[in-house]
Amino acid sequence: MSANTRGKTAAAIEAAGGKALVAYLPVGYPDLETSIEAAVAVADAGFQVLELGIPYSDPAMDGPVIQAATQQVLDRGFSLSEVFQTVEAVTARTDAAVLSMTYWNPVLRYGVDRLAHDFAAAGGAGLITPDLTPENADEWIAAAEKHDLDRIFLAAPSSSDARIDRAVEASRGFVYTVSTMGTTGVRGDMDTAARTLSERIAESSARVGKPIARCVGLGISRPEHVADVLDYAEGAIVGSALVAALRDGGVPAVAAKAAELVTGLHSDPGTLS
Amino acid sequence: MTEKLRDHHGPWFGDHGGVFMPEPLISAIEELTAAYDALRGDDEFWNEFHRLGREYTGRPSLLTEATRLSELAGGARIFLKREDLNHTGSHKINNVLGQALVAKRLGKTRLIAETGAGQHGVATATAAAYFGFDCTIYMGEVDTERQALNVARMRMLGAEVVSVKTGSRTLKDAINEGLRDWVAHTDTTHYLMGTVAGPHPFPEMVRDFHRQIGEEAREQIQTAAGRLPDAVLACVGGGSNAMGIFHAFLDDADVRLIGLEAAGDGAETEKHALSVGRGTPGLLHGMRTYLLQDENGQTIESHSISAGLDYPGVGPEHSWLNDIGRAEYEPVSDTEAMDAFSALTRKEGIMPAIESAHAIAGALRLGRALGPDAVLLVSLSGRGDKDAATAAKWFGLLDEGEQHVG
Ligand SMILES: Cc1ncc(COP(=O)(O)O)c(C=O)c1O
């Protein structure tokens, strides 16, 4: 076991001065090689954290753009070995912390400890687990400790203070701050609910005596969203907007979209709109 | 003292059940759990529920002895629990009325539901009309085609029917879409799960609303046959009509409980819906249970001629009853089910839902094995009107030009 207990994701967010950009891209979309190039391009554009989505047949949290992409990967045949290959390739070529976002059944099927081992061996930072809440996560947390991986749980505007405390205590890396009460997708306006939730997580963090970053996801598609979010959180997570660019224009388009979003890192909130 | 099986509560049924849902839905699930915990012992609530059963659904449902069908079942006595005679034509209304009352208590103004055969969607749309809820029903595109009559019924009742085009375009995808809607609208909306599946408290709550099926039948069959049955048989999709009729008999150790799963093209093929029979434990729709999945943990599409049984998972209480050996789960192929559909229609003048025909097929098979001394209780979970087009096509009863109708 490594002595590193802070984790790669927290280190990447700190290195970014507490203002990080996080990209969601589906593993293997539109094909393995292109997906790796897309992830590298996004990291090269200035994203510090990558979140590689593992395609799953029943993705209850994904919006239409991401679901269409992951369905395409499943239709052509997909196995978890592509995840390890991608993580290995991307960590070899960039400094980004590489997480995976995965529904829990594929992990259970593969074996929790076995997956943690293989993911860590590939150079991965940890997992985001949308349908695994802390009360069901004992086995995963034990495996993550053993293999020194980050585990990122969700907090939602509807979460009680007690549940937020639990997410803060169980998470390492950041708390995934769900900005709107909907599934992933591009939204015109950022939700003020995200700001409130972000504050509640900070209060919880003080209450339980555990500093932790907050990354806001679901709905971010423009540089001004990024600037707004980074005014009150340590990370802005972009998914559907990047996936749509990759779908429509391949690696050049996703690189351009990433570069555009990175401008939000260097501006004051409100000045870009 | 050992716990009675009947007294078992969720969230866990052995290794199965639980709550595996995204955090944004947890507060709605906790709200529902707390409400149901409070209502469980609330006489006023149950009185209202049973009043609706009597005055709106038509309960208690009849028990009919199928004497001519018996000739095809080795002479075994077959008793049909007539949930097909309920208002809206299936057992589904029992659960819908219960959950609609819960939703009212929670102050919700909108109901959403998934549906496969459309029976649960019709029942939900009916309750929405009756109580004055807004209503959206999610239905896989494949099912909107094979159950077109029910789509029309739901729209007549004022519900919005959304045809789901993702994934396998059947029941499981309709559930995913319904959950997505729920995430975005938990403050106003109740997700009215149509079977004993999903996260706690749905499996237990839905079972409790269907428990009356078995409670009534247990009395009725003792009057009619002078004893408890040798076996109780029911089809299993998610498993609600089966849990409903099994529950009263769980602690009657001599009564066999037999769930009939849809074997589609056949149990020996890869095109089936045998979640217990051929599945492995995993997660689907917020529960741990037996499901059809591949070596990568991806849910496999199920196959059945019956939309209501075309589901790759099963309620967690069934998985548990299987594990502890209290219930048995057997396959019935499309062909066996359609033969039973025809047999019941021709011998008794009762056209069953294709779902329910699977239970009839199981009874014919068991009757032949046990002979004339056997007493079998069968859940006739729904009527067959919705399946007339599918059956007509299967049996080649339509002229060429009419093949496309329905
Ligand atoms: C008549 C009928 N029986 C059975 C079922 C299967 O559901 P369950 O297994 O929950 O009873 C359905 C589902 O649509 C149905 O319409």
Side-chain angles (χ1 to χ4, degrees), chain B residues 90-92 117 119 195 235-241 308-309 353 355-356 381-382:
Chain B
S90 80
H91 69 295
K92 298 283 181 186
Q119 290 302 100
T195 188
C235 68
V236 176
S240 66
N241 86 91
L309 304 183
E355 290 78 13
S356 321
S381 56

Side-chain angles (χ1 to χ4, degrees), chain A residues 4-229:
Chain A
N4 177 8
T5 50
R6 189 179 54 151
K8 292 181 172 143
T9 308
I13 294 171
E14 264 169 53
K19 291 198 182 302
L21 267 167
V22 183
Y24 171 97
L25 291 169
V27 174
Y29 178 76
D31 55 71
L32 184 60
E33 196 184 323
T34 311
S35 72
I36 292 169
E37 293 308 318
V40 170
V42 167
D44 288 349
F47 278 62
Q48 295 87 357
V49 180
L50 300 176
E51 182 187 325
L52 304 176
I54 299 185
Y56 176 54
S57 52
D58 295 274
M61 278 286 286
D62 295 350
V65 172
I66 289 172
Q67 201 191 358
T70 54
Q71 185 66 48
Q72 190 180 318
V73 178
L74 291 173
D75 288 346
R76 66 136 165 95
F78 166 78
S79 85
L80 286 176
S81 65
E82 288 188 41
V83 176
F84 309 123
Q85 285 179 58
T86 307
V87 171
E88 206 169 321
V90 174
T91 51
R93 290 171 57 187
T94 76
D95 292 331
V98 179
L99 298 160
S100 260
M101 166 123 158
T102 183
Y103 292 89
W104 201 241
N105 199 53
V107 180
L108 276 185
R109 190 73 182 157
Y110 193 82
V112 176
D113 190 71
R114 178 176 166 223
L115 184 123
H117 172 272
D118 292 358
F119 195 82
L127 299 182
I128 302 166
T129 55
D131 62 350
L132 188 76
T133 48
E135 54 268 53
N136 290 320
D138 289 353
E139 187 184 5
W140 158 232
I141 290 173
E145 301 251 316
K146 183 170 152 200
H147 300 287
D148 195 24
L149 290 174
D150 296 326
R151 53 267 175 184
I152 285 139
F153 294 98
L154 277 55
S158 58
S159 304
S160 64
D161 286 347
R163 293 198 61 82
I164 291 179
D165 287 354
R166 202 150 181 190
V168 166
E169 281 166 343
S171 294
R172 192 185 85 173
F174 61 85
V175 173
Y176 197 115
T177 308
V178 180
S179 68
T180 53
M181 286 303 286
T183 47
T184 59
V186 179
R187 275 154 210 265
D189 298 300
M190 281 305 300
D191 201 332
T192 50
R195 184 181 287 268
T196 308
L197 177 57
S198 200
E199 283 160 10
R200 292 177 62 210
I201 296 169
E203 288 160 18
S204 165
S205 172
R207 193 158 55 231
V208 307
K210 177 178 174 182
I212 191 138
R214 301 152 298 173
C215 293
V216 174
L218 309 186
I220 299 173
S221 61
R222 301 207 297 257
E224 56 267 35
H225 298 157
V226 172
D228 281 350
V229 164

